[in-house]
Amino acid sequence: MHKKFHIRSGDLVFVNKGEYAGQTGKVLSVDRKKYRAIVEGVNLMHKHTKPNAKSPQGGIIEQEAPVHISNLMLVDPSTGQPTRIGRRRNDKGKLVRYAKKSGEEIK
């Protein structure tokens, strides 16, 4: 049984804690076992790489490191503000996420 998180890949999120607090970015991937997500342009680190087929030059590459899920809030699609997430059944009986601030369903 996998865990249900308030964010998914492709969501626009707001970072509310840490060095990158106040920044927004798109979620690239979510690690369910470690409760972490990789957010585009947030928590950048330097990785030293040897020359290989992908990067023949080698050198230092800047890439995103995972951020803990608890430090992220989903951005409400209608208002553009960070919001908490709830779950409810829609008119078809399917469980969907909705923004607590606006009450709007999140696709």
Side-chain angles (χ1 to χ4, degrees):
M1 181 99 182
H2 65 82
K3 303 166 189 91
K4 290 228 178 191
F5 290 142
H6 61 285
I7 61 166
R8 295 178 186 163
S9 294
D11 284 346
L12 188 66
V13 293
F14 174 81
V15 182
N16 57 12
K17 292 246 173 73
E19 186 183 337
Y20 292 88
Q23 289 189 13
T24 58
K26 186 179 166 191
V27 176
L28 301 174
S29 68
V30 177
D31 185 352
R32 292 180 184 283
K33 288 181 183 154
K34 295 181 181 176
Y35 287 87
R36 294 186 168 269
I38 294 178
V39 182
E40 194 172 36
V42 173
N43 200 18
L44 296 172
M45 66 172 200
H46 298 287
K47 185 174 181 181
H48 298 259
T49 58
K50 283 184 168 181
N52 57 28
K54 196 171 185 182
S55 59
Q57 189 68 41
I60 301 169
I61 297 172
E62 203 170 56
Q63 69 182 37
E64 293 92 357
V67 179
H68 199 271
I69 292 268
S70 65
N71 297 333
L72 302 174
M73 286 183 85
L74 196 93
V75 174
D76 192 341
S78 61
T79 62
Q81 296 291 318
T83 181
R84 297 194 322 272
I85 297 300
R87 283 180 171 52
R88 66 179 174 209
R89 300 216 178 264
N90 64 3
D91 50 347
K92 295 174 186 168
K94 188 176 180 194
L95 197 64
V96 293
R97 298 181 303 162
Y98 74 96
K100 294 252 184 164
K101 265 193 183 161
S102 66
E104 190 175 315
E105 189 177 309
I106 295 164
K107 306 258 184 297

